[in-house]
Amino acid sequence: MTEPSDIKKGLAGVVVDYTAISKVNPETNSLLYRGYPVQELAASCSFEQVAYLLWNGELPSAPELEAFEQLERSQRALDPAVTRVIDELPLTAHPMDVVRTAVSVVGALDPEWEDASAAGTLAKSVALLAKIPAIVSYDQRRRRGQDVVEPDASLGYSANFLRMTFGEVPSDVVVKAFDVSMILYAEHSFNASTFTARVVTSTLSDLYSAVVAGIGALKGPLHGGANEAVMHIFDEIGSADAAEGWLEDALANKKKIMGFGHRVYKNGDSRVPTMKASLDTLIEEYDRPDLLALYDALNEAMQSRKAIQPNLDYPSGPAYHLMGFDTELFTPLFVASRITGWTAHIREQLASNALIRPLSEYNGPDERHVQA
Ligand code: ACO
């Protein structure tokens, strides 16, 4: 009989494999993508450069970046079969269900879905990077009863994404804040959705199946769904002066406060200061000191009551709200970014695969027999 102490509930603290893609270090509160601190990447690189880095291990040279950008820009359009399926889905469907379904359709339309070669999986990864913004913005606009905005190949990833969603390219401040959020969400080692994608890949299933499974895992409020949940909390609280009372009630009712806490970081999420700085630029751009006051009030109340630090979803939720996205679209934005990390891990898993199959300790009834 396995001792209860040998059971690693939630796989907490279990190291299951090597990865060369990112390093999360809770002691130094740092996050490296392929060796580069994520803060430096956010300050100096575009999301396209970071995607290239995650997949290829090195930042692109100028000609490599140009070729990569052209490839991404050439694949942004959606097959009419994808938009037809989206159109069939009711508006009661959560946008995460829409993006999960649409990615599944993209996979079903790919005649080379089985190609697990390094070149094949890279090509599929770039195609998904290019198409997910079109899926997300298509869904956002149909929910608002607006016409579709076709992709613009003269624009970079983030400017194009925002234009497809809102009909025009916003200010440089907004484009940069969005791009930073994409960089910060891109990769985070063996988080739940990435691990899910690796488990599916380990059975030698195809890349699209692994990504669809990853989207399912990300949807949950303990993972990616938290950025949406943070905004619902802000809406519920309403203003800074109500934050402390709201928190007392929530904690008294044993509620988890979304946007706070992390399985790996216990002294603060390394990505928060960078995203908070971007949120500050948006607060100024949209002149919303009230939102900043609410953000600070809830955080301060949480620190004095529980001393649990905010995670990336805490600043990104209000940031996406200020940019103009509907709250239900926040987690699909996380998908648009994390597709890079998921597919980097799928490719790494394929390169050195072992079926992922842990054990369990049975604690059900003793053996018994069906009575004749
Ligand atoms: N609100 C209230 N209490 C919390 C919170 C929270 N957000 N997070 C942790 N705690 C408490 C737990 O209740 C527990 O208290 P106890 O020991 O008295 O029972 C203690 O802190 C330890 O928490 P665990 O849940 O055991 O920590 P775990 O590592 O399993 O959880 C998790 C991490 C799931 C992220 C948790 O902090 C949480 O639910 N946070 C809210 C959801 C969220 O924001 N998720 C986003 C994650 S980051 C991302 O996906 C970008």
Side-chain angles (χ1 to χ4, degrees), residues 9 12 184-185 188 191 218 220-227 229-230 247 251 254-266 269 271 302 306 308-314 316 334 338:
K9 194 95 170 148
L184 296 176
Y185 269 132
H188 214 221
N191 59 86
L218 190 73
L222 296 190
H223 190 11
N227 62 6
V230 166
L247 184 70
L251 292 177
K254 306 254 173 277
K255 281 195 188 150
K256 284 265 177 83
I257 313 304
M258 297 295 137
F260 290 88
H262 199 276
R263 171 59 66 78
V264 181
Y265 300 114
K266 295 302 174 194
D269 181 329
R271 303 161 293 183
M302 188 69 175
K306 299 282 282 183
I308 296 175
Q309 300 291 323
N311 59 52
L312 175 57
D313 292 325
Y314 192 61
S316 73
F334 196 157
R338 188 57 62 86

Side-chain angles (χ1 to χ4, degrees), residues 219-241:
K219 185 183 176 192
L222 296 190
H223 190 11
N227 62 6
E228 170 185 338
V230 166
M231 205 57 224
H232 288 309
I233 288 177
F234 278 26
D235 287 342
E236 202 181 315
I237 298 175
S239 64
D241 53 1

Side-chain angles (χ1 to χ4, degrees), residues 16-152:
V16 297
D17 207 343
Y18 292 100
T19 181
I21 301 168
S22 69
K23 179 174 179 176
V24 182
N25 190 338
E27 274 79 47
T28 53
N29 203 8
S30 64
L31 171 61
L32 309 177
Y33 292 173
R34 302 278 189 190
Y36 292 102
V38 72
Q39 296 85 345
E40 282 179 28
L41 294 168
S44 311
C45 298
S46 66
F47 179 50
E48 291 95 314
Q49 286 172 294
V50 171
Y52 185 101
L53 169 71
L54 290 171
W55 288 328
N56 297 289
E58 297 295 335
L59 282 166
S61 64
E64 284 167 341
L65 180 61
E66 201 187 324
F68 179 70
E69 285 179 345
Q70 271 181 17
L71 185 63
E72 186 271 317
R73 292 174 191 206
S74 69
Q75 296 189 62
R76 291 173 176 169
L78 295 177
D79 189 295
V82 177
T83 51
R84 271 202 305 277
V85 170
I86 296 176
D87 289 339
E88 286 300 316
L89 299 174
L91 295 182
T92 50
H94 191 281
M96 281 296 275
D97 298 342
V98 173
V99 72
R100 192 191 63 227
T101 305
V103 167
S104 198
V105 177
V106 171
L109 292 172
D110 180 354
E112 289 168 16
W113 59 271
E114 256 181 317
D115 183 355
S117 66
T121 53
L122 184 58
K124 292 178 204 319
S125 306
V126 178
L128 285 173
L129 174 76
K131 290 183 198 314
I132 290 173
I135 292 168
V136 175
S137 54
Y138 187 93
D139 191 33
Q140 170 73 92
R141 291 185 73 82
R142 97 185 164 112
R143 284 168 194 276
R144 292 184 171 183
Q146 295 167 328
D147 291 339
V148 182
V149 176
E150 296 301 333
D152 181 342

